Amino acid sequence: MTLELIVFIASILFGLLIYWRESNGNGMYRTFNKIINSKKLQMKPEDKTGFVYQQSFLIRLVSITFLFLIAIVIAQFLLPIDLAAISLFASMIVGTILGTYLAQLIFKSNEVIDEQSESLEGIVQETFEKGKDFIHDFKQKNLDKEIPKEELPKETPTDKEQKSARERLKDKGLL
């Protein structure tokens, strides 16, 4: 089980390496394309397609399986140890395909980030400007709402000057 896990992780890294390598250049795929196809069917010079780069799942599966079949046949002839167990073979294929899709995800996310970085910069700049305007408006409203100091009443009758309740009632004619 440990050997299978190690082979699986190594094959994921191998899949990442294959995908990255084919994204930079597809010379081997072009060579096979020229050998196999007629002049009319050969790929265009600007086409970046490779064995796993920009291919569908089925083509990737066939290419990677064929690659590992060749590697296992060579290993059987060179090494006297039987390393070509079916579980290791399956782990290598699944791990490599998983690695190619992981690499594709990384490349796509980098492209999206690069495309959105300019618009993201504009959005951040607009947000800063709106924030500055909001703070300026907020300060202006606070200054407008500031309450002026209330003036004290000019003449406040003191307790001595006020009439008593009895005197007020007499003035009204109630007493």
Side-chain angles (χ1 to χ4, degrees), residues 88-124:
L88 284 178
F89 183 66
S91 291
M92 289 187 291
I93 291 173
V94 170
T96 306
I97 288 176
L98 185 66
T100 59
Y101 278 105
L102 184 64
Q104 182 179 4
L105 177 73
I106 292 169
F107 279 116
K108 290 290 183 184
S109 64
N110 283 342
E111 289 174 7
V112 169
I113 289 171
D114 288 342
E115 289 175 3
Q116 297 296 327
S117 65
E118 291 177 8
S119 64
L120 188 64
E121 183 180 324
I123 290 171
V124 170

Side-chain angles (χ1 to χ4, degrees), residues 28-85:
M28 188 180 295
Y29 188 78
R30 284 190 182 282
T31 305
F32 277 106
N33 191 317
K34 286 181 182 176
I35 293 171
I36 294 172
N37 294 327
S38 67
K39 190 74 169 171
K40 291 180 185 177
L41 297 176
Q42 289 178 5
M43 57 193 295
K44 307 277 187 279
E46 64 273 355
D47 194 3
K48 291 188 154 225
T49 306
F51 289 108
V52 293
Y53 184 70
Q54 293 181 345
Q55 289 289 1
S56 64
F57 173 74
L58 191 58
I59 303 296
R60 285 184 192 193
L61 180 66
V62 169
S63 299
I64 291 171
T65 305
F66 187 71
L67 175 71
F68 282 117
L69 275 174
I70 291 172
I72 286 176
V73 168
I74 291 172
Q76 286 292 324
F77 284 119
L78 295 178
L79 300 173
I81 304 170
D82 186 25
L83 287 177

